[in-house]
Amino acid sequence: MKLNVRWSCLLCLVLIGIAIEGVQCKVVQFIFGDSLSDVGNNMYLSKSLAQANLPFYGIDFGNGLPNGRFTNGRTVADIIGDSTGLPRPPAFLDPSLTEDVILESGVNYASGGGGILNETGGYFIQRFSLWKQIELFRGTTELITNKLGKQATDKFIGEANFVVALGSNDFINNYLMPVYSDSWKYNDQTFVRYLMETLQNQLLLDFRGFFPKVLHNLGARKLMVFGLGPMGCIPLQRVLSTTGQCQERANKLAMSFNKAASQLLANLDSRLPNASFKFGDAYDVVDNVIRNPNNYGFDNADSPCCSFGRIRPALTCLPASTLCSDRSKYVFWDEYHPSDSANQLIANELIKKFGFLAGGNSSAPVPAPESAIAPSPDEE
């Protein structure tokens, strides 16, 4: 009888081990970001003014209906995940999200209008800041722990890929707008420093111990932070300038952010045992595409494919908007966001920067990449 009990106990331990290993083998993504990564969260924020819930958003994705992505097709995170064989995580607010879905696909917390700072994007009324997204992730870990137990959950979270892709709204929809107090409380240098201090507190417990519920403490061990592109060259910034050219101050702020974030992540990576915290940006490539679009297969790099005729800026794409004749030839989809074709190029560069493919950081992007989307019929 004692022998049978021992064998029964041993069998139980083996089965538990197999269950934990099964969870460990499934690698998913947890994505934190803004409208460049949002896959539908803002569609469920009924008071949010940052929306991609009307045609022609999503026209080149799935059934062609709006799905919450602020572009005509895929996001950069979509493309990177597809290229690395990871499932696309659903929006946190998707009603179909369950514990089983999380274990299979992860979660996307990104929200249009969100920023590193809580005050960013306030005039959008509803949006998830990075602090809020981390709070939602904490709830996710508690949900999974209730289902799997702490040991299995720690393994699952520890094997997951974390993507943090925010920052542009902190400039465009905060610091560079005089209606926000940050615009007069800081100068360019001190505002970037303020962003880095906040970002460090969000990624890692700071030396004072004030922030125990941040990503590293919640189990994140494989984390990537995406840098900013030349945000002074988005169509909205051009049309608001007096010359129609890129706003160089905004571009310099993006470069300052990237330099500071790169140093921050390198420092964190060196301090954290058994963790990989990496930074990558595609600033130089996107800047070159904007200045030499024909070299990369684009015809237009200064205006949106989806626009409201001659009325500029049209802050969103609407059913009454006019579409360009070939969406694959435009760098920008609307006044703010890149097109699917541009996102493909950005993703390719980040894949190299993060070392997902052979060639690492040394390989230059190939001009005129083949578009994943066939040219659209003339809809003008």
Side-chain angles (χ1 to χ4, degrees), residues 69-108:
R69 289 169 172 81
F70 287 75
T71 183
N72 60 308
R74 302 159 297 167
T75 68
V76 169
D78 283 333
I79 298 168
I80 292 177
D82 293 347
S83 299
T84 54
L86 296 176
R88 293 178 181 173
F92 172 79
L93 292 180
D94 189 324
S96 66
L97 189 72
T98 64
E99 295 98 322
D100 290 336
V101 171
I102 295 170
L103 292 173
E104 285 293 320
S105 303
V107 185
N108 186 318

Short mmCIF file of all heavy atoms in Angstrom, two decimals, residues 69-108:
data_model
loop_
_atom_site.label_atom_id
_atom_site.label_comp_id
_atom_site.label_asym_id
_atom_site.label_seq_id
_atom_site.Cartn_x
_atom_site.Cartn_y
_atom_site.Cartn_z
N ARG A 69 -7.10 49.10 -35.87
CA ARG A 69 -5.74 49.49 -36.25
C ARG A 69 -5.79 50.83 -36.97
O ARG A 69 -6.61 51.03 -37.86
CB ARG A 69 -5.11 48.41 -37.16
CG ARG A 69 -4.77 47.12 -36.41
CD ARG A 69 -4.41 46.00 -37.39
NE ARG A 69 -3.90 44.83 -36.70
CZ ARG A 69 -4.67 43.90 -36.11
NH1 ARG A 69 -5.99 44.04 -36.12
NH2 ARG A 69 -4.12 42.86 -35.51
N PHE A 70 -4.85 51.71 -36.63
CA PHE A 70 -4.83 53.05 -37.19
C PHE A 70 -4.03 53.09 -38.50
O PHE A 70 -3.17 53.95 -38.70
CB PHE A 70 -4.23 54.04 -36.18
CG PHE A 70 -5.14 54.35 -35.01
CD1 PHE A 70 -5.34 53.42 -33.99
CD2 PHE A 70 -5.80 55.56 -34.93
CE1 PHE A 70 -6.17 53.70 -32.91
CE2 PHE A 70 -6.63 55.86 -33.85
CZ PHE A 70 -6.83 54.92 -32.84
N THR A 71 -4.32 52.17 -39.38
CA THR A 71 -3.65 52.10 -40.66
C THR A 71 -4.53 51.30 -41.61
O THR A 71 -5.60 50.82 -41.22
CB THR A 71 -2.24 51.46 -40.52
OG1 THR A 71 -1.58 51.47 -41.79
CG2 THR A 71 -2.34 50.03 -40.00
N ASN A 72 -4.08 51.17 -42.84
CA ASN A 72 -4.88 50.40 -43.81
C ASN A 72 -4.67 48.91 -43.69
O ASN A 72 -5.51 48.12 -44.15
CB ASN A 72 -4.54 50.84 -45.24
CG ASN A 72 -3.08 50.62 -45.60
OD1 ASN A 72 -2.19 51.05 -44.87
ND2 ASN A 72 -2.82 49.97 -46.72
N GLY A 73 -3.57 48.49 -43.05
CA GLY A 73 -3.27 47.07 -42.96
C GLY A 73 -2.74 46.67 -41.60
O GLY A 73 -3.43 46.79 -40.59
N ARG A 74 -1.49 46.20 -41.59
CA ARG A 74 -0.90 45.67 -40.37
C ARG A 74 -0.07 46.71 -39.63
O ARG A 74 0.44 47.66 -40.23
CB ARG A 74 0.02 44.49 -40.73
CG ARG A 74 -0.67 43.36 -41.48
CD ARG A 74 0.36 42.51 -42.22
NE ARG A 74 1.05 43.31 -43.24
CZ ARG A 74 2.15 42.91 -43.88
NH1 ARG A 74 2.70 41.74 -43.58
NH2 ARG A 74 2.72 43.69 -44.78
N THR A 75 0.06 46.50 -38.33
CA THR A 75 0.97 47.32 -37.54
C THR A 75 2.38 46.74 -37.61
O THR A 75 2.58 45.60 -38.07
CB THR A 75 0.53 47.37 -36.07
OG1 THR A 75 0.71 46.06 -35.49
CG2 THR A 75 -0.92 47.79 -35.93
N VAL A 76 3.35 47.50 -37.14
CA VAL A 76 4.73 47.01 -37.08
C VAL A 76 4.81 45.77 -36.18
O VAL A 76 5.47 44.78 -36.51
CB VAL A 76 5.68 48.12 -36.58
CG1 VAL A 76 7.06 47.55 -36.26
CG2 VAL A 76 5.79 49.23 -37.62
N ALA A 77 4.12 45.82 -35.04
CA ALA A 77 4.14 44.67 -34.12
C ALA A 77 3.51 43.43 -34.77
O ALA A 77 3.98 42.31 -34.55
CB ALA A 77 3.41 45.02 -32.83
N ASP A 78 2.45 43.63 -35.56
CA ASP A 78 1.86 42.51 -36.30
C ASP A 78 2.92 41.83 -37.16
O ASP A 78 3.07 40.60 -37.16
CB ASP A 78 0.75 43.00 -37.24
CG ASP A 78 -0.56 43.31 -36.54
OD1 ASP A 78 -0.83 42.71 -35.49
OD2 ASP A 78 -1.31 44.15 -37.07
N ILE A 79 3.62 42.63 -37.92
CA ILE A 79 4.58 42.11 -38.91
C ILE A 79 5.75 41.43 -38.23
O ILE A 79 6.19 40.35 -38.66
CB ILE A 79 5.05 43.25 -39.83
CG1 ILE A 79 3.85 43.83 -40.61
CG2 ILE A 79 6.12 42.76 -40.80
CD1 ILE A 79 4.14 45.14 -41.33
N ILE A 80 6.26 42.03 -37.16
CA ILE A 80 7.38 41.40 -36.45
C ILE A 80 6.95 40.07 -35.84
O ILE A 80 7.67 39.07 -35.93
CB ILE A 80 7.92 42.35 -35.36
CG1 ILE A 80 8.60 43.57 -36.01
CG2 ILE A 80 8.91 41.62 -34.45
CD1 ILE A 80 9.11 44.59 -35.02
N GLY A 81 5.77 40.05 -35.24
CA GLY A 81 5.27 38.80 -34.69
C GLY A 81 5.10 37.73 -35.75
O GLY A 81 5.50 36.57 -35.55
N ASP A 82 4.52 38.10 -36.89
CA ASP A 82 4.35 37.14 -37.99
C ASP A 82 5.70 36.61 -38.46
O ASP A 82 5.86 35.41 -38.72
CB ASP A 82 3.63 37.80 -39.17
CG ASP A 82 2.18 38.18 -38.86
OD1 ASP A 82 1.66 37.71 -37.83
OD2 ASP A 82 1.60 38.92 -39.65
N SER A 83 6.67 37.50 -38.55
CA SER A 83 8.00 37.11 -39.07
C SER A 83 8.74 36.20 -38.12
O SER A 83 9.59 35.42 -38.54
CB SER A 83 8.84 38.37 -39.33
OG SER A 83 8.23 39.20 -40.30
N THR A 84 8.44 36.30 -36.83
CA THR A 84 9.13 35.49 -35.83
C THR A 84 8.29 34.30 -35.37
O THR A 84 8.66 33.61 -34.42
CB THR A 84 9.52 36.35 -34.61
OG1 THR A 84 8.37 37.02 -34.10
CG2 THR A 84 10.56 37.39 -35.02
N GLY A 85 7.15 34.10 -36.02
CA GLY A 85 6.34 32.93 -35.73
C GLY A 85 5.51 33.02 -34.47
O GLY A 85 5.07 32.00 -33.93
N LEU A 86 5.28 34.24 -33.98
CA LEU A 86 4.48 34.41 -32.77
C LEU A 86 3.05 34.79 -33.12
O LEU A 86 2.82 35.51 -34.10
CB LEU A 86 5.10 35.50 -31.89
CG LEU A 86 6.49 35.19 -31.33
CD1 LEU A 86 7.03 36.39 -30.56
CD2 LEU A 86 6.45 33.97 -30.43
N PRO A 87 2.09 34.34 -32.35
CA PRO A 87 0.69 34.69 -32.63
C PRO A 87 0.43 36.17 -32.38
O PRO A 87 1.12 36.81 -31.58
CB PRO A 87 -0.09 33.82 -31.64
CG PRO A 87 0.85 33.55 -30.53
CD PRO A 87 2.22 33.47 -31.16
N ARG A 88 -0.58 36.70 -33.08
CA ARG A 88 -0.95 38.10 -32.88
C ARG A 88 -1.82 38.21 -31.63
O ARG A 88 -2.90 37.64 -31.57
CB ARG A 88 -1.73 38.62 -34.09
CG ARG A 88 -0.90 38.72 -35.36
CD ARG A 88 -1.76 39.20 -36.51
NE ARG A 88 -0.98 39.28 -37.75
CZ ARG A 88 -1.50 39.54 -38.95
NH1 ARG A 88 -2.82 39.73 -39.05
NH2 ARG A 88 -0.74 39.60 -40.02
N PRO A 89 -1.37 38.96 -30.64
CA PRO A 89 -2.18 39.08 -29.42
C PRO A 89 -3.41 39.95 -29.64
O PRO A 89 -3.32 41.00 -30.28
CB PRO A 89 -1.21 39.71 -28.42
CG PRO A 89 -0.19 40.40 -29.25
CD PRO A 89 -0.08 39.66 -30.54
N PRO A 90 -4.57 39.54 -29.12
CA PRO A 90 -5.77 40.36 -29.24
C PRO A 90 -5.75 41.54 -28.30
O PRO A 90 -4.96 41.59 -27.35
CB PRO A 90 -6.88 39.37 -28.86
CG PRO A 90 -6.21 38.42 -27.91
CD PRO A 90 -4.80 38.28 -28.41
N ALA A 91 -6.63 42.50 -28.57
CA ALA A 91 -6.75 43.66 -27.69
C ALA A 91 -7.24 43.24 -26.31
O ALA A 91 -8.07 42.33 -26.18
CB ALA A 91 -7.73 44.66 -28.30
N PHE A 92 -6.74 43.91 -25.30
CA PHE A 92 -7.14 43.60 -23.93
C PHE A 92 -8.65 43.72 -23.74
O PHE A 92 -9.26 42.93 -23.01
CB PHE A 92 -6.42 44.54 -22.96
CG PHE A 92 -6.89 44.43 -21.54
CD1 PHE A 92 -6.46 43.40 -20.72
CD2 PHE A 92 -7.80 45.36 -21.01
CE1 PHE A 92 -6.91 43.28 -19.42
CE2 PHE A 92 -8.26 45.24 -19.70
CZ PHE A 92 -7.81 44.20 -18.91
N LEU A 93 -9.27 44.69 -24.40
CA LEU A 93 -10.70 44.93 -24.22
C LEU A 93 -11.56 44.09 -25.16
O LEU A 93 -12.79 44.22 -25.13
CB LEU A 93 -11.02 46.41 -24.42
CG LEU A 93 -10.47 47.36 -23.36
CD1 LEU A 93 -10.85 48.80 -23.67
CD2 LEU A 93 -10.96 46.97 -21.97
N ASP A 94 -10.96 43.25 -25.97
CA ASP A 94 -11.73 42.36 -26.84
C ASP A 94 -12.61 41.46 -25.98
O ASP A 94 -12.11 40.76 -25.09
CB ASP A 94 -10.77 41.51 -27.68
CG ASP A 94 -11.48 40.70 -28.76
OD1 ASP A 94 -12.60 40.23 -28.51
OD2 ASP A 94 -10.90 40.55 -29.84
N PRO A 95 -13.93 41.47 -26.20
CA PRO A 95 -14.83 40.67 -25.36
C PRO A 95 -14.54 39.18 -25.38
O PRO A 95 -14.94 38.46 -24.46
CB PRO A 95 -16.22 40.97 -25.95
CG PRO A 95 -16.08 42.26 -26.66
CD PRO A 95 -14.67 42.27 -27.19
N SER A 96 -13.88 38.71 -26.43
CA SER A 96 -13.59 37.27 -26.53
C SER A 96 -12.35 36.85 -25.75
O SER A 96 -12.01 35.67 -25.72
CB SER A 96 -13.43 36.87 -28.00
OG SER A 96 -12.27 37.48 -28.57
N LEU A 97 -11.66 37.81 -25.11
CA LEU A 97 -10.43 37.48 -24.39
C LEU A 97 -10.73 36.63 -23.15
O LEU A 97 -11.56 37.00 -22.32
CB LEU A 97 -9.71 38.76 -23.98
CG LEU A 97 -8.30 38.58 -23.40
CD1 LEU A 97 -7.33 38.18 -24.49
CD2 LEU A 97 -7.83 39.86 -22.71
N THR A 98 -10.06 35.50 -23.05
CA THR A 98 -10.18 34.61 -21.90
C THR A 98 -8.80 34.18 -21.45
O THR A 98 -7.79 34.47 -22.12
CB THR A 98 -10.99 33.35 -22.25
OG1 THR A 98 -10.27 32.60 -23.25
CG2 THR A 98 -12.38 33.71 -22.78
N GLU A 99 -8.73 33.46 -20.33
CA GLU A 99 -7.44 32.95 -19.88
C GLU A 99 -6.81 32.05 -20.93
O GLU A 99 -5.60 32.12 -21.17
CB GLU A 99 -7.60 32.18 -18.56
CG GLU A 99 -8.05 33.01 -17.37
CD GLU A 99 -9.54 32.89 -17.14
OE1 GLU A 99 -10.29 32.84 -18.14
OE2 GLU A 99 -9.96 32.84 -15.97
N ASP A 100 -7.61 31.21 -21.57
CA ASP A 100 -7.07 30.31 -22.58
C ASP A 100 -6.54 31.07 -23.79
O ASP A 100 -5.50 30.70 -24.36
CB ASP A 100 -8.15 29.31 -23.03
CG ASP A 100 -8.48 28.29 -21.94
OD1 ASP A 100 -7.62 28.06 -21.07
OD2 ASP A 100 -9.60 27.74 -21.97
N VAL A 101 -7.23 32.13 -24.18
CA VAL A 101 -6.76 32.96 -25.30
C VAL A 101 -5.44 33.62 -24.93
O VAL A 101 -4.51 33.70 -25.74
CB VAL A 101 -7.82 34.01 -25.68
CG1 VAL A 101 -7.25 35.01 -26.69
CG2 VAL A 101 -9.06 33.34 -26.25
N ILE A 102 -5.33 34.11 -23.70
CA ILE A 102 -4.08 34.74 -23.25
C ILE A 102 -2.93 33.74 -23.31
O ILE A 102 -1.83 34.06 -23.76
CB ILE A 102 -4.25 35.29 -21.82
CG1 ILE A 102 -5.27 36.42 -21.81
CG2 ILE A 102 -2.91 35.78 -21.26
CD1 ILE A 102 -5.69 36.87 -20.42
N LEU A 103 -3.17 32.52 -22.87
CA LEU A 103 -2.13 31.49 -22.87
C LEU A 103 -1.72 31.10 -24.29
O LEU A 103 -0.59 30.68 -24.52
CB LEU A 103 -2.61 30.26 -22.11
CG LEU A 103 -2.80 30.45 -20.59
CD1 LEU A 103 -3.44 29.21 -19.98
CD2 LEU A 103 -1.48 30.76 -19.91
N GLU A 104 -2.63 31.25 -25.23
CA GLU A 104 -2.34 30.90 -26.62
C GLU A 104 -1.74 32.05 -27.41
O GLU A 104 -0.91 31.84 -28.30
CB GLU A 104 -3.63 30.44 -27.32
CG GLU A 104 -4.09 29.06 -26.94
CD GLU A 104 -3.13 27.98 -27.42
OE1 GLU A 104 -2.62 28.10 -28.56
OE2 GLU A 104 -2.88 27.03 -26.67
N SER A 105 -2.14 33.30 -27.08
CA SER A 105 -1.80 34.42 -27.96
C SER A 105 -1.24 35.65 -27.28
O SER A 105 -0.79 36.56 -27.95
CB SER A 105 -3.05 34.83 -28.77
OG SER A 105 -3.57 33.75 -29.50
N GLY A 106 -1.29 35.73 -25.93
CA GLY A 106 -0.83 36.93 -25.25
C GLY A 106 -1.90 38.01 -25.26
O GLY A 106 -3.07 37.75 -25.53
N VAL A 107 -1.50 39.25 -25.00
CA VAL A 107 -2.43 40.37 -24.93
C VAL A 107 -1.77 41.62 -25.49
O VAL A 107 -0.58 41.86 -25.28
CB VAL A 107 -2.89 40.67 -23.48
CG1 VAL A 107 -3.96 41.75 -23.46
CG2 VAL A 107 -3.40 39.42 -22.79
N ASN A 108 -2.57 42.45 -26.16
CA ASN A 108 -2.13 43.76 -26.63
C ASN A 108 -2.88 44.83 -25.84
O ASN A 108 -4.10 44.92 -25.90
CB ASN A 108 -2.42 43.90 -28.14
CG ASN A 108 -1.87 45.20 -28.72
OD1 ASN A 108 -1.96 46.25 -28.12
ND2 ASN A 108 -1.32 45.10 -29.92
#
